[in-house]
Amino acid sequence: MLLGLNNIEISFADRTLFSNVSFEVYEKDKIGFVGVNGSGKTTLLKLITGKLSPDMGEIVTASGCKIGFMEQFAFKNTDKTLFDEALTVFSELEDMELELAGIHDRIDYGDHSEETIERQTRLSEEFERNGGLVYKSKTAAALMGLGFSESDLSLKTSVLSGGQLSKLQLAKLLLSEADLLLLDEPTNHLDIVSVEWLEKFLLDYKGAYIVISHDRFFLDKVTNRTIELENQKIRCYKGNYTRFLELKKEDAERRLKEYESAMKEINRVEGIIEQQKRWNQAHNYVTIASKQKQIDRIEKTLERPEDAPEAIKFSFHCDDGCGNDVLEAKDLALSFEGKTLFKNVDLDIKKGERVFLIGANGSGKTSLFRILTGEYLPDRGSFKFGARVRFGYFDQAQRGLHEEKTAMEEIHDEYPTMTETAVRTALAAFLFKGDDVFKKISALSGGERARVAILKLMLSGANFLLLDEPTNHLDINSCEALENALLNYDGTLFIISHDRYLINKLADRVYKLSENGAKNFLGNYDYYLENNREETSVSEEKPKISESALDYKQKKERESERRKLNTKVSRLEKRIEEIDVLISEKTDELNNTEEYERTMALYTEISELQAEQETAMKEWEESLKKLEEFENDETN
């Protein structure tokens, strides 16, 4: 066991987030942690790291267990490059490497002391054992796997975007090789290829981890246990997210049956009590007391099934229909500051289709949508909407919201014909109750802002929806509500998303956007993956790393081997000289002694020294030959 939580409780102000929380984490546990936004998932991770203290209960961590949490890997030094900042995870190895370089220089300048040679040997072995030969290439691979390009590695951290900084923190966390990783929404800011790389990394990870995520496809791939925080309580299930849903349903049905059976028994016993009271005999009161105790025992263990947390309840509908041709684009191209984002983009979307747009971060997906909404002009090409098409746009940055307005004002100002009651009813369906409707947009969480933006879109009556990452910031319950609403939408959908679960459930077609155009796949994400495996499968495509990065391990191994040979040659030369001195001393003593026993002992010692010297000479010659081969290779 790495970690144990026993009866944990924590409250903020007058609200209890959770109580009586108990569970254990064992080696190699791959735990998905789910629950609605605001239920306390991140707070629980902070309790585990010690950033917060529980009001009640205890958290026990195994001796020597190293816990990694993203917030531990924040950085302040903006003078470092992206690559150098990531390498700070291996500061001990960097220090060893510097010391080894210093020792090597001292040896080159003639310091062949036993202390220096021993320190070099011991430090070299420790350096290699702890991954010193591969830590730089490993760091480069992690950064590129998470979507950075080779040229990005030299960028100063001061110029990185918020998303890039988050990815850098994630890379440092993954490279920390903690016994227990705590991952809070790690797929945020990652495109599909990077998420697939992360999945492979976690599947190969030797430690344990707890991951909070609303990406159900991701949870299915990387978890073998699921913990749900709901109604201030924790329940644990064996299996990934899909299995958790099955087990949760079975568990709820079982608890409901047990409750109904218990209530039926209580009602039966209460009927007996009422009957006994009507008879009003002395012995009847003995029976009444006995039956009441029976009811008390049942009620003591009775657990009333809890209501599921409130979920968004909404649906999209079109005000009127349109023609069969919804959107047609020909040869669209766009570039920024001389860099081509995309070219040769052709689109053809028909009425009622649910079409998804995927592609790497930076490929221009959002920019393509902004061409369609009229915000950007293409470098070339054209597009047109069909007859009677009215589009609605969900902007993932939610720039259409007004920071100074309340949620109530945001909706009413957009739709002034709605009554206040109608607006409050609509907001209530999106979980804005009571005074929540008077919260300023600027004070809302990412999930709350997304709900307001979706509500505005829903009320528009548009018959063609352009949705840019609509599930970002939504918890799983809200994602599922949105899915169901989009499934029943009677208009046309064009959606940017990296939510593979959503794509599988909704997509009729998938466009993959790249610099050279938009490739069309007639199916959902599984179909796309099967037919595009050579481009997207992490198992078959590694992040492109420069030749120098790929050769880094080999180069370091050769340098290490050369240093070892240099050290070995120096050590053997020193030992050969020492044996020469010992043989000379033993020979002088042999010539001057007349004791038989001492004479025989000296003969034996001299023979052993000569044999050791002969072996050392052979090793010295072999090592010197190898060293000359290394030097010849480097010269050539």
Side-chain angles (χ1 to χ4, degrees):
M1 189 177 78
L2 297 176
L3 179 74
L5 281 75
N6 301 310
N7 298 317
I8 299 299
E9 180 177 317
I10 190 166
S11 302
F12 290 104
D14 58 347
R15 182 193 171 202
T16 298
L17 271 184
F18 44 78
S19 60
N20 298 319
V21 166
S22 298
F23 65 88
E24 295 82 35
V25 179
Y26 295 89
E27 291 179 349
K28 301 189 184 302
D29 265 347
K30 317 295 185 187
I31 298 173
F33 190 16
V34 299
V36 298
N37 285 349
S39 60
K41 301 186 298 296
T42 300
T43 298
L44 190 58
L45 295 192
K46 289 182 178 180
L47 288 170
I48 291 172
T49 63
K51 290 180 70 68
L52 294 175
S53 299
D55 299 331
M56 291 180 63
E58 63 173 351
I59 298 174
V60 180
T61 306
S63 176
C65 174
K66 181 182 176 184
I67 296 176
F69 187 41
M70 258 182 91
E71 290 187 14
Q72 294 171 246
F73 296 96
F75 33 85
K76 299 176 182 176
N77 190 343
T78 55
D79 292 331
K80 287 183 182 290
T81 64
L82 168 67
F83 187 59
D84 288 339
E85 179 60 45
L87 286 177
T88 59
V89 173
F90 301 104
S91 57
E92 292 182 5
L93 288 175
E94 289 186 299
D95 292 343
M96 282 188 209
E97 195 167 29
L98 283 172
E99 186 178 351
L100 280 169
I103 291 173
H104 180 62
D105 289 342
R106 293 208 307 272
I107 290 172
D108 283 350
Y109 283 103
D111 180 0
H112 297 156
S113 67
E114 184 175 349
E115 182 182 357
T116 299
I117 301 301
E118 284 183 0
R119 176 60 179 163
Q120 184 190 43
T121 302
R122 192 164 58 250
L123 197 60
S124 293
E125 291 172 352
E126 185 181 355
F127 183 71
E128 291 177 33
R129 188 169 58 250
N130 293 331
L133 300 181
V134 297
Y135 79 96
K136 289 184 179 177
S137 58
K138 190 174 176 181
T139 300
L143 290 169
M144 293 183 191
L146 290 173
F148 290 106
S149 66
E150 187 181 352
S151 60
D152 290 337
L153 302 189
S154 59
L155 292 175
K156 297 284 188 181
T157 57
S158 57
V159 303
L160 298 181
S161 67
Q164 288 174 317
L165 291 173
S166 294
K167 286 195 288 187
L168 173 54
Q169 277 185 283
L170 176 59
K172 291 173 70 176
L173 172 61
L174 298 177
L175 291 167
S176 70
E177 297 184 343
D179 302 296
L180 173 60
L181 294 177
L182 304 178
L183 301 161
D184 194 349
E185 296 289 0
T187 60
N188 281 0
H189 310 295
L190 300 185
D191 57 29
I192 288 177
V193 173
S194 298
V195 173
E196 288 178 342
W197 178 89
L198 178 59
E199 285 170 352
K200 187 175 185 304
F201 183 97
L202 292 176
L203 287 171
D204 294 338
Y205 195 71
K206 294 178 181 177
Y209 52 78
I210 301 174
V211 55
I212 297 171
S213 181
H214 68 270
D215 187 332
R216 293 150 293 172
F217 198 101
F218 173 74
L219 289 173
D220 271 350
K221 288 287 287 287
V222 303
T223 63
N224 56 26
R225 284 179 64 196
T226 302
I227 293 175
E228 183 184 37
L229 179 54
E230 183 177 274
N231 293 321
Q232 305 175 353
K233 293 180 181 177
I234 283 282
R235 284 194 173 91
C236 302
Y237 301 85
K238 288 183 179 179
N240 62 12
Y241 181 76
T242 296
R243 182 58 181 151
F244 146 73
L245 290 179
E246 295 168 355
L247 292 173
K248 181 182 179 182
K249 183 180 179 183
E250 292 172 10
D251 190 33
E253 289 172 352
R254 177 188 55 77
R255 284 187 279 117
L256 179 59
K257 285 179 181 177
E258 289 175 355
Y259 176 76
E260 289 174 343
S261 177
M263 290 303 297
K264 188 175 180 180
E265 179 63 11
I266 287 172
N267 290 334
R268 186 187 70 82
V269 175
E270 284 178 341
I272 294 172
I273 290 175
E274 287 301 315
Q275 186 183 60
Q276 294 291 325
K277 285 180 179 179
R278 285 196 298 272
W279 290 341
N280 200 24
Q281 300 293 323
H283 67 274
N284 298 131
Y285 289 100
V286 175
T287 303
I288 289 170
S290 173
K291 293 300 181 184
Q292 186 59 52
K293 285 180 181 178
Q294 184 180 343
I295 289 175
D296 293 342
R297 282 195 301 272
I298 295 172
E299 288 181 338
K300 192 173 182 180
T301 58
L302 185 64
E303 184 179 349
R304 184 183 182 280
E306 294 165 330
D307 295 328
E310 273 195 292
I312 300 173
K313 302 178 184 69
F314 67 102
S315 59
F316 290 101
H317 292 291
C318 304
D319 287 342
D320 51 27
C322 60
N324 189 53
D325 296 323
V326 173
L327 172 65
E328 184 178 357
K330 292 288 186 184
D331 197 31
L332 288 177
L334 186 67
S335 59
F336 279 113
E337 298 177 353
K339 180 188 175 185
T340 299
L341 279 181
F342 53 78
K343 59 187 177 184
N344 306 322
V345 170
D346 296 334
L347 303 171
D348 185 11
I349 297 177
K350 303 298 184 184
K351 180 179 179 180
E353 282 193 306
R354 297 193 289 256
V355 182
F356 280 77
L357 181 66
I358 64 173
N361 283 348
S363 60
K365 301 184 298 296
T366 296
S367 296
L368 177 58
F369 268 34
R370 290 179 180 171
I371 288 175
L372 300 178
T373 61
E375 185 175 348
Y376 291 169
L377 290 174
D379 295 342
R380 68 169 182 271
S382 62
F383 71 93
K384 64 178 181 178
F385 294 110
R388 299 188 307 280
V389 169
R390 290 180 55 242
F391 74 82
Y393 176 44
F394 177 89
D395 179 358
Q396 68 163 312
Q398 289 141 23
R399 295 173 305 155
L401 300 180
H402 302 83
E403 300 290 316
E404 74 284 359
K405 292 184 179 181
T406 65
M408 182 88 173
E409 291 167 341
E410 186 71 38
I411 302 301
H412 193 268
D413 290 353
E414 185 78 11
Y415 303 103
T417 60
M418 290 180 68
T419 66
E420 182 177 328
T421 300
V423 172
R424 291 187 74 114
T425 301
L427 284 166
F430 280 70
L431 308 185
F432 290 93
K433 305 285 184 70
D435 290 341
D436 289 345
V437 301
F438 302 117
K439 282 184 178 178
K440 294 277 190 185
I441 297 297
S442 59
L444 299 182
S445 67
E448 289 170 328
R449 292 168 68 97
R451 298 205 303 267
V452 172
I454 291 171
L455 174 57
K456 285 179 69 175
L457 189 61
M458 183 198 81
L459 295 171
S460 71
N463 53 25
F464 181 34
L465 299 183
L466 299 167
L467 309 177
D468 188 356
E469 297 288 4
T471 58
N472 276 6
H473 306 297
L474 297 182
D475 57 35
I476 289 178
N477 287 0
S478 298
C479 286
E480 290 172 348
L482 178 61
E483 274 170 16
N484 292 328
L486 294 176
L487 269 173
N488 295 308
Y489 174 62
D490 47 0
T492 307
L493 297 171
F494 193 20
I495 305 174
I496 296 171
S497 183
H498 66 270
D499 186 335
R500 294 159 296 171
Y501 203 99
L502 180 75
I503 301 172
N504 264 344
K505 193 166 181 178
L506 294 180
D508 298 317
R509 289 196 289 129
V510 173
Y511 280 114
K512 183 186 179 186
L513 184 65
S514 66
E515 183 180 340
N516 295 314
K519 189 174 180 181
N520 187 28
F521 295 85
L522 299 172
N524 64 8
Y525 182 76
D526 285 341
Y527 177 88
Y528 155 77
L529 192 62
E530 185 64 30
N531 289 273
N532 198 51
R533 188 171 297 279
E534 71 280 3
E535 293 183 43
T536 59
S537 174
V538 172
S539 62
E540 294 178 22
E541 178 184 317
K542 305 293 182 186
K544 290 184 180 178
I545 303 174
S546 68
E547 222 173 280
S548 60
L550 286 170
D551 291 341
Y552 181 78
K553 179 180 178 181
Q554 184 180 3
K555 179 183 174 186
K556 295 301 290 183
E557 286 174 346
R558 287 179 61 81
E559 287 178 1
S560 174
E561 184 64 24
R562 186 169 63 81
R563 284 199 301 270
K564 283 183 181 177
L565 286 170
N566 264 320
T567 302
K568 189 174 184 180
V569 167
S570 299
R571 188 173 69 248
L572 288 169
E573 287 173 348
K574 183 180 179 183
R575 182 56 183 162
I576 290 167
E577 290 173 3
E578 290 173 349
I579 292 173
D580 269 337
V581 173
L582 288 171
I583 289 174
S584 177
E585 290 174 354
K586 300 293 182 184
T587 302
D588 287 343
E589 186 179 350
L590 178 64
N591 292 333
N592 294 320
T593 186
E594 297 179 358
E595 297 178 11
Y596 174 76
E597 290 182 359
R598 181 59 185 153
T599 297
M600 296 307 295
L602 285 167
Y603 269 122
T604 301
E605 290 174 11
I606 290 170
S607 296
E608 290 174 351
L609 286 168
Q610 287 172 336
E612 182 186 349
Q613 189 177 50
E614 186 176 346
T615 301
M617 285 293 291
K618 286 181 181 177
E619 286 188 36
W620 177 78
E621 288 173 358
E622 290 172 0
S623 299
L624 196 62
K625 186 179 178 181
K626 288 181 181 178
L627 193 58
E628 288 171 353
E629 288 174 358
F630 265 102
E631 289 170 353
N632 288 336
D633 287 344
E634 289 174 0
T635 303
N636 295 332

